[in-house]
Amino acid sequence: MQRVVFAAFMGCLGSFFISAQDTVELLNRMKAMEDKIKSLEGQVQELKGQQAALTAAVTAAPAAPQAPPAQTATVTPEPAPAGLAAPQMPSGPLPVYGGASAAASKVFNPDISVIGDFLGGIGNGNPRGTPSLEMHESEVGFQAIIDPYARADFFLSFGEQGVNLEEGYLTFAALPAGLQMKVGKMRAAFGKVNTLHNHVLPWTDRPLVTQNLVGGEDGIDDAGLSFSRILPAPKDLFLEATAQIFRGDSDDVFHAYKRSDVSTVGHLRAYRDITESTNIDLGISYSRGHSPVAESLINQLYGIDATLRWKPLRRSIITRL
């Protein structure tokens, strides 16, 4: 009986020691978690202090000079003349339109330009008679970069004869083999003058050779394809070859009686700097198509153009004696 009581007592005592050991381990874990929480709170307080110090440093730094704010404008009314009531001006800042929103919206819109060509003439106008005063042409241009590989150019001309699509084409500048392609309606690369619009001419009208042989103001201007490529050349020499194929309809130059009656244009250009102020630009052109006179006739045009530019980069402003 004593052994049974002693065994029961020892069992209770062992259970007590085991329970006490678990309690100590639990307390140790709780203390470790408390220490970790205090450490994290200290790190948070340190970060808050650094943020406050950085904000104070930015606020205390001298501000860089800036342009006057463009978002608001203040209007000061002038005194009204005697006997008249002063105009009622709106109070507070006036809204100014533009800014970042306008710049962002421009990404989706083309560049738009408008230019006019006004001419006046006196005396004998033969062989091309012109009025005494004439709003010769007004041109609206729409140009935009579609993506890194293509751009669009469209030009509408408004004259006394109506509205005309002078040019409208897409340019693909990143084709294989170094080719550049244009597709649409465009001025042919025949010589120098045929590619120029009226408002960029160095003269008030087209030269006589253009008036008589290359269709006048419109020149060889038709729907088609154009391929150009920069050719390998010796040092300091720029060579470019252009090949074009058109529908075959150009006023007084070519006429297409059927779909196969296309016209072609070829141009070879060479450019070189002679000095820092002088350069020379040479070109050879060829064009072929059916004649407007008869279907059996073929018109062939040959052209040579040369441009010598002299524009001194260093101009003497101060003369020393």
Side-chain angles (χ1 to χ4, degrees):
M1 185 63 180
Q2 292 180 353
R3 291 182 180 180
V4 175
V5 174
F6 179 74
F9 174 75
M10 293 299 295
C12 294
L13 183 62
S15 300
F16 173 77
F17 280 117
I18 293 174
S19 177
Q21 185 177 359
D22 293 341
T23 303
V24 172
E25 184 178 356
L26 181 60
L27 292 176
N28 291 335
R29 289 184 180 181
M30 292 179 62
K31 182 172 178 57
M33 293 180 62
E34 184 179 358
D35 294 340
K36 190 172 182 179
I37 292 174
K38 290 182 178 180
S39 176
L40 292 175
E41 289 180 350
Q43 293 179 9
V44 171
Q45 294 298 330
E46 183 179 357
L47 291 176
K48 288 184 178 181
Q50 292 178 0
Q51 183 178 6
L54 181 60
T55 304
V58 172
T59 305
Q66 299 180 355
Q71 298 301 323
T72 59
T74 303
V75 178
T76 302
E78 297 181 357
L84 295 178
Q88 297 294 330
M89 300 299 295
S91 60
L94 297 178
V96 177
Y97 300 97
S101 59
S105 63
K106 187 181 180 299
V107 176
F108 304 98
N109 295 321
D111 293 327
I112 302 175
S113 62
V114 180
I115 191 168
D117 184 16
F118 182 83
L119 296 177
I122 59 175
N124 186 6
N126 292 327
R128 177 180 178 268
T130 57
S132 57
L133 297 173
E134 177 186 16
M135 189 63 193
H136 189 204
E137 184 182 84
S138 300
E139 182 181 280
V140 180
F142 303 90
Q143 298 174 281
I145 297 177
I146 302 175
D147 55 37
Y149 308 100
R151 64 168 292 133
D153 298 89
F154 284 79
F155 301 95
L156 300 176
S157 60
F158 300 81
E160 296 185 355
Q161 286 74 33
V163 182
N164 178 42
L165 176 62
E166 188 166 357
E167 285 192 288
Y169 56 85
L170 297 177
T171 303
F172 301 92
L175 297 181
L179 290 175
Q180 175 179 283
M181 182 180 73
K182 294 181 180 180
V183 55
K185 183 182 180 184
M186 70 199 81
R187 288 182 170 271
F190 189 88
K192 278 287 185 182
V193 179
N194 191 80
T195 61
L196 302 178
H197 293 200
N198 287 331
H199 60 85
V200 297
L201 286 174
W203 323 280
T204 56
D205 56 3
R206 306 270 172 175
L208 292 179
V209 63
T210 302
Q211 296 284 348
N212 297 332
L213 298 178
V214 198
E217 290 188 1
D218 292 336
I220 305 176
D221 184 9
D222 201 0
L225 298 172
S226 174
F227 296 89
S228 60
R229 188 180 188 276
I230 299 176
L231 302 178
K235 185 180 179 181
D236 300 331
L237 182 64
F238 173 82
L239 285 178
E240 182 185 34
T242 303
Q244 298 175 320
I245 181 171
F246 294 101
R247 180 179 57 191
D249 287 317
S250 295
D251 293 341
D252 300 328
V253 184
F254 303 124
H255 180 71
Y257 297 91
K258 52 182 180 292
R259 289 183 178 179
S260 59
D261 295 343
V262 297
S263 61
T264 57
V265 175
H267 183 76
L268 179 63
R269 178 192 177 197
Y271 172 91
R272 182 175 182 178
D273 288 327
I274 301 176
T275 65
E276 67 176 11
S277 305
T278 309
N279 58 67
I280 188 170
D281 195 345
L282 302 175
I284 301 175
S285 304
Y286 171 76
S287 184
R288 182 183 185 277
H290 286 262
S291 173
V293 179
E295 183 178 359
S296 59
L297 298 179
I298 299 296
N299 284 348
Q300 299 187 73
L301 301 177
Y302 302 87
I304 298 177
D305 58 270
T307 304
L308 179 66
R309 298 184 185 88
W310 177 74
K311 186 175 182 179
L313 300 179
R314 299 178 180 178
R315 297 183 178 181
S316 177
I317 300 176
I318 301 177
T319 303
R320 297 182 179 180
L321 301 178

